Amino acid sequence: MIVRVPGDKSVSQRALLLAALAEGESRLRGVLPSADPRSTAGALRAMGAVIPPLPDDGSEIRVVGRGLRGLEAPRSPLDLGNSGTGTRLLLGVLAGQPFESVVDGDASLRSRPMARVTDPLGAMGARFEWLGEVGRLPVRVRGGALKGLEYDLPVASAQVKSALLLAGVVGGVPVGLTEPGASRDHTERMLRGCGVSVLTHVRGPGRRVELRDPPARLRPLDLDVPGDLSSAAFVVLAGLLGVTPGPVTVEGVGLNPTRDGMLDLFRRMGGRLTVEATGDAGGEPVGRITIEGGTLRPIEVDEADVTAAVDEIPAVAVAAVRAPGVTRIRGAGELRVKETDRIRAVAVNLKALGVDVVETDDGLDVTGTDAPLQGRVDAFDDHRIAMVFGVLGAAPGNRIEVEGRESVEVSFPGFWSLLERLRHG
Ligand code: S3P
């Protein structure tokens, strides 16, 4: 069976932001028509960017940008919904805009740490006033003239790195960053496509990223958004757990090497995966992944694995349920500050299904079993938690009810019908 997955969420969000900041009209195809990019688009429209509604079929949209410092002060708080990426990247943009704005989001987003971006943005000259709890949304931003930044990121985070690079671009100031691991580099690639010089050097397991001479304007984008590798992970998981009767191929999926760690992890678990590069879209490698099942075995997952597959660790933990022995996941503390505490969510749900799982500060030990799994689990308002347990529930012999199925709308509209197709061919 051949399937496609919707557009990449990370690339879609960045494309909307950079198109809004470019001078002239950008053309974007395959933008993910889901809640997160819609929140980001809504915030950009509230500041004067001309962005049409995101079409459900991913057809081309034309975005008229406002230039680097041409956004207008929004009249009401910017509501970023559930989108951590939209929020953090936008905070970088707002830091360099000469106006005041308020950024807010849903209950999940209000619980997520924002000081990781506002501290370094504050060092560049932006001012932030917490309107609720310190370090959490809502926040009032007073942007303006910025100064350059030299900064060591305490955690490998593409969102923090991107926010700081965007602040440098908008503010027209140099930024030098060192990160302890190699986080996804979509922003660097897309900025290069807009005519910005961003240099990257390997530094041990991490990276040194430099924005030296930010240009006065950004070239508009003409870009095809690849399918989302993180969404493809659920199809791969379905193949590994025997949801699909035969081999399944995901076509047109982004294969960015800074975030394809799940391919390695699933292969180490015994998954039979074939990956074929077919070309390039918007500066990102694209290809197809074929899954032909496999006999699963337990693995040890460390911090570097987590950085390269940060959103796929719940899928690895769920695959581990069918790997006889103990899969140990460590160095995954960042999962506790995602859309929900994903370590806790996976542990609570697996326990509810009778799986032997131990939660540690920064990871999980999952003991594989071949028992049929039945029961009720909670999505914890987190799209990826809903989807991994949806796939586990579709595996032969299991009957799992997922509470909060609608949260998949954040990143994967059509997920439940695709799962039915995978199941029944
Ligand atoms: C993202 C970066 C990751 C990832 C998130 C998307 C991005 O977060 O978990 O889903 O688009 O930059 P961190 O940068 O916080 O690790």
Side-chain angles (χ1 to χ4, degrees), residues 290-309:
T290 299
I291 311 101
E292 293 177 275
T295 306
L296 293 176
R297 53 177 175 258
I299 57 167
E300 309 261 325
V301 176
D302 66 17
E303 192 173 348
D305 295 323
V306 172
T307 304

mmCIF file with all atom_site columns, all heavy atoms in Angstrom, residues 290-309:
data_model
loop_
_atom_site.group_PDB
_atom_site.id
_atom_site.type_symbol
_atom_site.label_atom_id
_atom_site.label_alt_id
_atom_site.label_comp_id
_atom_site.label_asym_id
_atom_site.label_entity_id
_atom_site.label_seq_id
_atom_site.pdbx_PDB_ins_code
_atom_site.Cartn_x
_atom_site.Cartn_y
_atom_site.Cartn_z
_atom_site.occupancy
_atom_site.B_iso_or_equiv
_atom_site.pdbx_formal_charge
_atom_site.auth_seq_id
_atom_site.auth_comp_id
_atom_site.auth_asym_id
_atom_site.auth_atom_id
_atom_site.pdbx_PDB_model_num
ATOM 1   N N   . THR A 1 290 ? 9.666  2.594   3.104  1.00 0.00 ? 290 THR A N   1
ATOM 2   C CA  . THR A 1 290 ? 8.839  1.382   3.035  1.00 0.00 ? 290 THR A CA  1
ATOM 3   C C   . THR A 1 290 ? 9.070  0.564   4.305  1.00 0.00 ? 290 THR A C   1
ATOM 4   O O   . THR A 1 290 ? 10.204 0.384   4.742  1.00 0.00 ? 290 THR A O   1
ATOM 5   C CB  . THR A 1 290 ? 9.190  0.557   1.782  1.00 0.00 ? 290 THR A CB  1
ATOM 6   O OG1 . THR A 1 290 ? 8.925  1.379   0.640  1.00 0.00 ? 290 THR A OG1 1
ATOM 7   C CG2 . THR A 1 290 ? 8.359  -0.710  1.679  1.00 0.00 ? 290 THR A CG2 1
ATOM 8   N N   . ILE A 1 291 ? 7.968  0.092   4.870  1.00 0.00 ? 291 ILE A N   1
ATOM 9   C CA  . ILE A 1 291 ? 8.040  -0.710  6.105  1.00 0.00 ? 291 ILE A CA  1
ATOM 10  C C   . ILE A 1 291 ? 7.494  -2.087  5.770  1.00 0.00 ? 291 ILE A C   1
ATOM 11  O O   . ILE A 1 291 ? 6.385  -2.199  5.256  1.00 0.00 ? 291 ILE A O   1
ATOM 12  C CB  . ILE A 1 291 ? 7.158  -0.118  7.234  1.00 0.00 ? 291 ILE A CB  1
ATOM 13  C CG1 . ILE A 1 291 ? 7.420  1.367   7.381  1.00 0.00 ? 291 ILE A CG1 1
ATOM 14  C CG2 . ILE A 1 291 ? 7.383  -0.836  8.554  1.00 0.00 ? 291 ILE A CG2 1
ATOM 15  C CD1 . ILE A 1 291 ? 6.372  2.204   6.733  1.00 0.00 ? 291 ILE A CD1 1
ATOM 16  N N   . GLU A 1 292 ? 8.289  -3.096  6.109  1.00 0.00 ? 292 GLU A N   1
ATOM 17  C CA  . GLU A 1 292 ? 7.836  -4.475  5.858  1.00 0.00 ? 292 GLU A CA  1
ATOM 18  C C   . GLU A 1 292 ? 7.833  -5.271  7.156  1.00 0.00 ? 292 GLU A C   1
ATOM 19  O O   . GLU A 1 292 ? 8.380  -6.363  7.205  1.00 0.00 ? 292 GLU A O   1
ATOM 20  C CB  . GLU A 1 292 ? 8.768  -5.144  4.850  1.00 0.00 ? 292 GLU A CB  1
ATOM 21  C CG  . GLU A 1 292 ? 8.702  -4.537  3.475  1.00 0.00 ? 292 GLU A CG  1
ATOM 22  C CD  . GLU A 1 292 ? 9.693  -5.186  2.536  1.00 0.00 ? 292 GLU A CD  1
ATOM 23  O OE1 . GLU A 1 292 ? 10.849 -4.738  2.545  1.00 0.00 ? 292 GLU A OE1 1
ATOM 24  O OE2 . GLU A 1 292 ? 9.308  -6.130  1.835  1.00 0.00 ? 292 GLU A OE2 1
ATOM 25  N N   . GLY A 1 293 ? 7.301  -4.696  8.199  1.00 0.00 ? 293 GLY A N   1
ATOM 26  C CA  . GLY A 1 293 ? 7.213  -5.395  9.475  1.00 0.00 ? 293 GLY A CA  1
ATOM 27  C C   . GLY A 1 293 ? 8.575  -5.624  10.088 1.00 0.00 ? 293 GLY A C   1
ATOM 28  O O   . GLY A 1 293 ? 9.486  -4.798  9.927  1.00 0.00 ? 293 GLY A O   1
ATOM 29  N N   . GLY A 1 294 ? 8.740  -6.753  10.754 1.00 0.00 ? 294 GLY A N   1
ATOM 30  C CA  . GLY A 1 294 ? 9.998  -7.041  11.436 1.00 0.00 ? 294 GLY A CA  1
ATOM 31  C C   . GLY A 1 294 ? 9.697  -7.697  12.762 1.00 0.00 ? 294 GLY A C   1
ATOM 32  O O   . GLY A 1 294 ? 8.562  -7.641  13.240 1.00 0.00 ? 294 GLY A O   1
ATOM 33  N N   . THR A 1 295 ? 10.711 -8.348  13.329 1.00 0.00 ? 295 THR A N   1
ATOM 34  C CA  . THR A 1 295 ? 10.547 -8.945  14.656 1.00 0.00 ? 295 THR A CA  1
ATOM 35  C C   . THR A 1 295 ? 11.221 -8.004  15.641 1.00 0.00 ? 295 THR A C   1
ATOM 36  O O   . THR A 1 295 ? 12.430 -7.775  15.553 1.00 0.00 ? 295 THR A O   1
ATOM 37  C CB  . THR A 1 295 ? 11.213 -10.334 14.686 1.00 0.00 ? 295 THR A CB  1
ATOM 38  O OG1 . THR A 1 295 ? 10.671 -11.080 13.597 1.00 0.00 ? 295 THR A OG1 1
ATOM 39  C CG2 . THR A 1 295 ? 10.937 -11.049 15.993 1.00 0.00 ? 295 THR A CG2 1
ATOM 40  N N   . LEU A 1 296 ? 10.435 -7.446  16.528 1.00 0.00 ? 296 LEU A N   1
ATOM 41  C CA  . LEU A 1 296 ? 10.964 -6.369  17.364 1.00 0.00 ? 296 LEU A CA  1
ATOM 42  C C   . LEU A 1 296 ? 11.826 -6.888  18.513 1.00 0.00 ? 296 LEU A C   1
ATOM 43  O O   . LEU A 1 296 ? 11.554 -7.951  19.091 1.00 0.00 ? 296 LEU A O   1
ATOM 44  C CB  . LEU A 1 296 ? 9.818  -5.515  17.898 1.00 0.00 ? 296 LEU A CB  1
ATOM 45  C CG  . LEU A 1 296 ? 9.070  -4.724  16.817 1.00 0.00 ? 296 LEU A CG  1
ATOM 46  C CD1 . LEU A 1 296 ? 7.885  -3.969  17.412 1.00 0.00 ? 296 LEU A CD1 1
ATOM 47  C CD2 . LEU A 1 296 ? 10.014 -3.742  16.125 1.00 0.00 ? 296 LEU A CD2 1
ATOM 48  N N   . ARG A 1 297 ? 12.886 -6.127  18.827 1.00 0.00 ? 297 ARG A N   1
ATOM 49  C CA  . ARG A 1 297 ? 13.730 -6.443  19.983 1.00 0.00 ? 297 ARG A CA  1
ATOM 50  C C   . ARG A 1 297 ? 13.962 -5.150  20.777 1.00 0.00 ? 297 ARG A C   1
ATOM 51  O O   . ARG A 1 297 ? 13.863 -4.050  20.214 1.00 0.00 ? 297 ARG A O   1
ATOM 52  C CB  . ARG A 1 297 ? 15.052 -7.056  19.526 1.00 0.00 ? 297 ARG A CB  1
ATOM 53  C CG  . ARG A 1 297 ? 15.787 -6.232  18.504 1.00 0.00 ? 297 ARG A CG  1
ATOM 54  C CD  . ARG A 1 297 ? 17.136 -6.830  18.117 1.00 0.00 ? 297 ARG A CD  1
ATOM 55  N NE  . ARG A 1 297 ? 17.733 -6.043  17.057 1.00 0.00 ? 297 ARG A NE  1
ATOM 56  C CZ  . ARG A 1 297 ? 17.737 -6.389  15.769 1.00 0.00 ? 297 ARG A CZ  1
ATOM 57  N NH1 . ARG A 1 297 ? 17.207 -7.526  15.379 1.00 0.00 ? 297 ARG A NH1 1
ATOM 58  N NH2 . ARG A 1 297 ? 18.304 -5.598  14.878 1.00 0.00 ? 297 ARG A NH2 1
ATOM 59  N N   . PRO A 1 298 ? 14.287 -5.275  22.054 1.00 0.00 ? 298 PRO A N   1
ATOM 60  C CA  . PRO A 1 298 ? 14.461 -4.068  22.875 1.00 0.00 ? 298 PRO A CA  1
ATOM 61  C C   . PRO A 1 298 ? 15.770 -3.347  22.547 1.00 0.00 ? 298 PRO A C   1
ATOM 62  O O   . PRO A 1 298 ? 16.708 -3.972  22.061 1.00 0.00 ? 298 PRO A O   1
ATOM 63  C CB  . PRO A 1 298 ? 14.488 -4.621  24.299 1.00 0.00 ? 298 PRO A CB  1
ATOM 64  C CG  . PRO A 1 298 ? 14.847 -6.052  24.184 1.00 0.00 ? 298 PRO A CG  1
ATOM 65  C CD  . PRO A 1 298 ? 14.432 -6.520  22.825 1.00 0.00 ? 298 PRO A CD  1
ATOM 66  N N   . ILE A 1 299 ? 15.806 -2.049  22.804 1.00 0.00 ? 299 ILE A N   1
ATOM 67  C CA  . ILE A 1 299 ? 17.027 -1.268  22.571 1.00 0.00 ? 299 ILE A CA  1
ATOM 68  C C   . ILE A 1 299 ? 17.272 -0.318  23.743 1.00 0.00 ? 299 ILE A C   1
ATOM 69  O O   . ILE A 1 299 ? 16.420 -0.160  24.620 1.00 0.00 ? 299 ILE A O   1
ATOM 70  C CB  . ILE A 1 299 ? 16.948 -0.433  21.266 1.00 0.00 ? 299 ILE A CB  1
ATOM 71  C CG1 . ILE A 1 299 ? 15.721 0.505   21.270 1.00 0.00 ? 299 ILE A CG1 1
ATOM 72  C CG2 . ILE A 1 299 ? 16.953 -1.332  20.051 1.00 0.00 ? 299 ILE A CG2 1
ATOM 73  C CD1 . ILE A 1 299 ? 15.763 1.576   20.177 1.00 0.00 ? 299 ILE A CD1 1
ATOM 74  N N   . GLU A 1 300 ? 18.449 0.317   23.724 1.00 0.00 ? 300 GLU A N   1
ATOM 75  C CA  . GLU A 1 300 ? 18.787 1.375   24.685 1.00 0.00 ? 300 GLU A CA  1
ATOM 76  C C   . GLU A 1 300 ? 18.800 2.684   23.911 1.00 0.00 ? 300 GLU A C   1
ATOM 77  O O   . GLU A 1 300 ? 19.477 2.797   22.892 1.00 0.00 ? 300 GLU A O   1
ATOM 78  C CB  . GLU A 1 300 ? 20.199 1.158   25.253 1.00 0.00 ? 300 GLU A CB  1
ATOM 79  C CG  . GLU A 1 300 ? 20.460 -0.229  25.788 1.00 0.00 ? 300 GLU A CG  1
ATOM 80  C CD  . GLU A 1 300 ? 20.319 -0.310  27.294 1.00 0.00 ? 300 GLU A CD  1
ATOM 81  O OE1 . GLU A 1 300 ? 20.671 0.679   27.963 1.00 0.00 ? 300 GLU A OE1 1
ATOM 82  O OE2 . GLU A 1 300 ? 19.850 -1.365  27.792 1.00 0.00 ? 300 GLU A OE2 1
ATOM 83  N N   . VAL A 1 301 ? 18.057 3.664   24.387 1.00 0.00 ? 301 VAL A N   1
ATOM 84  C CA  . VAL A 1 301 ? 17.958 4.956   23.714 1.00 0.00 ? 301 VAL A CA  1
ATOM 85  C C   . VAL A 1 301 ? 18.650 6.002   24.594 1.00 0.00 ? 301 VAL A C   1
ATOM 86  O O   . VAL A 1 301 ? 18.360 6.082   25.792 1.00 0.00 ? 301 VAL A O   1
ATOM 87  C CB  . VAL A 1 301 ? 16.468 5.334   23.530 1.00 0.00 ? 301 VAL A CB  1
ATOM 88  C CG1 . VAL A 1 301 ? 16.319 6.713   22.912 1.00 0.00 ? 301 VAL A CG1 1
ATOM 89  C CG2 . VAL A 1 301 ? 15.751 4.280   22.684 1.00 0.00 ? 301 VAL A CG2 1
ATOM 90  N N   . ASP A 1 302 ? 19.592 6.776   24.004 1.00 0.00 ? 302 ASP A N   1
ATOM 91  C CA  . ASP A 1 302 ? 20.286 7.789   24.813 1.00 0.00 ? 302 ASP A CA  1
ATOM 92  C C   . ASP A 1 302 ? 19.936 9.206   24.347 1.00 0.00 ? 302 ASP A C   1
ATOM 93  O O   . ASP A 1 302 ? 19.138 9.389   23.422 1.00 0.00 ? 302 ASP A O   1
ATOM 94  C CB  . ASP A 1 302 ? 21.803 7.547   24.804 1.00 0.00 ? 302 ASP A CB  1
ATOM 95  C CG  . ASP A 1 302 ? 22.409 7.742   23.415 1.00 0.00 ? 302 ASP A CG  1
ATOM 96  O OD1 . ASP A 1 302 ? 21.762 8.354   22.546 1.00 0.00 ? 302 ASP A OD1 1
ATOM 97  O OD2 . ASP A 1 302 ? 23.547 7.266   23.204 1.00 0.00 ? 302 ASP A OD2 1
ATOM 98  N N   . GLU A 1 303 ? 20.587 10.186  24.976 1.00 0.00 ? 303 GLU A N   1
ATOM 99  C CA  . GLU A 1 303 ? 20.229 11.582  24.732 1.00 0.00 ? 303 GLU A CA  1
ATOM 100 C C   . GLU A 1 303 ? 20.395 11.995  23.268 1.00 0.00 ? 303 GLU A C   1
ATOM 101 O O   . GLU A 1 303 ? 19.561 12.723  22.722 1.00 0.00 ? 303 GLU A O   1
ATOM 102 C CB  . GLU A 1 303 ? 21.071 12.486  25.633 1.00 0.00 ? 303 GLU A CB  1
ATOM 103 C CG  . GLU A 1 303 ? 20.568 13.898  25.648 1.00 0.00 ? 303 GLU A CG  1
ATOM 104 C CD  . GLU A 1 303 ? 21.286 14.782  26.662 1.00 0.00 ? 303 GLU A CD  1
ATOM 105 O OE1 . GLU A 1 303 ? 22.020 14.249  27.525 1.00 0.00 ? 303 GLU A OE1 1
ATOM 106 O OE2 . GLU A 1 303 ? 21.108 16.010  26.574 1.00 0.00 ? 303 GLU A OE2 1
ATOM 107 N N   . ALA A 1 304 ? 21.471 11.538  22.624 1.00 0.00 ? 304 ALA A N   1
ATOM 108 C CA  . ALA A 1 304 ? 21.685 11.918  21.219 1.00 0.00 ? 304 ALA A CA  1
ATOM 109 C C   . ALA A 1 304 ? 20.564 11.331  20.349 1.00 0.00 ? 304 ALA A C   1
ATOM 110 O O   . ALA A 1 304 ? 20.072 11.987  19.423 1.00 0.00 ? 304 ALA A O   1
ATOM 111 C CB  . ALA A 1 304 ? 23.045 11.438  20.734 1.00 0.00 ? 304 ALA A CB  1
ATOM 112 N N   . ASP A 1 305 ? 20.152 10.091  20.669 1.00 0.00 ? 305 ASP A N   1
ATOM 113 C CA  . ASP A 1 305 ? 19.021 9.493   19.937 1.00 0.00 ? 305 ASP A CA  1
ATOM 114 C C   . ASP A 1 305 ? 17.779 10.353  20.110 1.00 0.00 ? 305 ASP A C   1
ATOM 115 O O   . ASP A 1 305 ? 17.003 10.562  19.164 1.00 0.00 ? 305 ASP A O   1
ATOM 116 C CB  . ASP A 1 305 ? 18.685 8.096   20.483 1.00 0.00 ? 305 ASP A CB  1
ATOM 117 C CG  . ASP A 1 305 ? 19.804 7.086   20.273 1.00 0.00 ? 305 ASP A CG  1
ATOM 118 O OD1 . ASP A 1 305 ? 20.460 7.138   19.226 1.00 0.00 ? 305 ASP A OD1 1
ATOM 119 O OD2 . ASP A 1 305 ? 19.991 6.230   21.165 1.00 0.00 ? 305 ASP A OD2 1
ATOM 120 N N   . VAL A 1 306 ? 17.589 10.842  21.330 1.00 0.00 ? 306 VAL A N   1
ATOM 121 C CA  . VAL A 1 306 ? 16.381 11.619  21.629 1.00 0.00 ? 306 VAL A CA  1
ATOM 122 C C   . VAL A 1 306 ? 16.386 12.926  20.831 1.00 0.00 ? 306 VAL A C   1
ATOM 123 O O   . VAL A 1 306 ? 15.375 13.306  20.242 1.00 0.00 ? 306 VAL A O   1
ATOM 124 C CB  . VAL A 1 306 ? 16.258 11.895  23.145 1.00 0.00 ? 306 VAL A CB  1
ATOM 125 C CG1 . VAL A 1 306 ? 15.112 12.859  23.430 1.00 0.00 ? 306 VAL A CG1 1
ATOM 126 C CG2 . VAL A 1 306 ? 16.058 10.587  23.913 1.00 0.00 ? 306 VAL A CG2 1
ATOM 127 N N   . THR A 1 307 ? 17.540 13.601  20.774 1.00 0.00 ? 307 THR A N   1
ATOM 128 C CA  . THR A 1 307 ? 17.597 14.874  20.031 1.00 0.00 ? 307 THR A CA  1
ATOM 129 C C   . THR A 1 307 ? 17.205 14.664  18.573 1.00 0.00 ? 307 THR A C   1
ATOM 130 O O   . THR A 1 307 ? 16.491 15.473  17.982 1.00 0.00 ? 307 THR A O   1
ATOM 131 C CB  . THR A 1 307 ? 19.014 15.487  20.111 1.00 0.00 ? 307 THR A CB  1
ATOM 132 O OG1 . THR A 1 307 ? 19.351 15.625  21.488 1.00 0.00 ? 307 THR A OG1 1
ATOM 133 C CG2 . THR A 1 307 ? 19.090 16.839  19.446 1.00 0.00 ? 307 THR A CG2 1
ATOM 134 N N   . ALA A 1 308 ? 17.660 13.551  17.990 1.00 0.00 ? 308 ALA A N   1
ATOM 135 C CA  . ALA A 1 308 ? 17.403 13.305  16.565 1.00 0.00 ? 308 ALA A CA  1
ATOM 136 C C   . ALA A 1 308 ? 16.006 12.750  16.298 1.00 0.00 ? 308 ALA A C   1
ATOM 137 O O   . ALA A 1 308 ? 15.612 12.593  15.139 1.00 0.00 ? 308 ALA A O   1
ATOM 138 C CB  . ALA A 1 308 ? 18.455 12.344  16.019 1.00 0.00 ? 308 ALA A CB  1
ATOM 139 N N   . ALA A 1 309 ? 15.272 12.426  17.371 1.00 0.00 ? 309 ALA A N   1
ATOM 140 C CA  . ALA A 1 309 ? 13.941 11.829  17.185 1.00 0.00 ? 309 ALA A CA  1
ATOM 141 C C   . ALA A 1 309 ? 13.018 12.316  18.301 1.00 0.00 ? 309 ALA A C   1
ATOM 142 O O   . ALA A 1 309 ? 12.191 11.551  18.793 1.00 0.00 ? 309 ALA A O   1
ATOM 143 C CB  . ALA A 1 309 ? 14.058 10.307  17.210 1.00 0.00 ? 309 ALA A CB  1
#
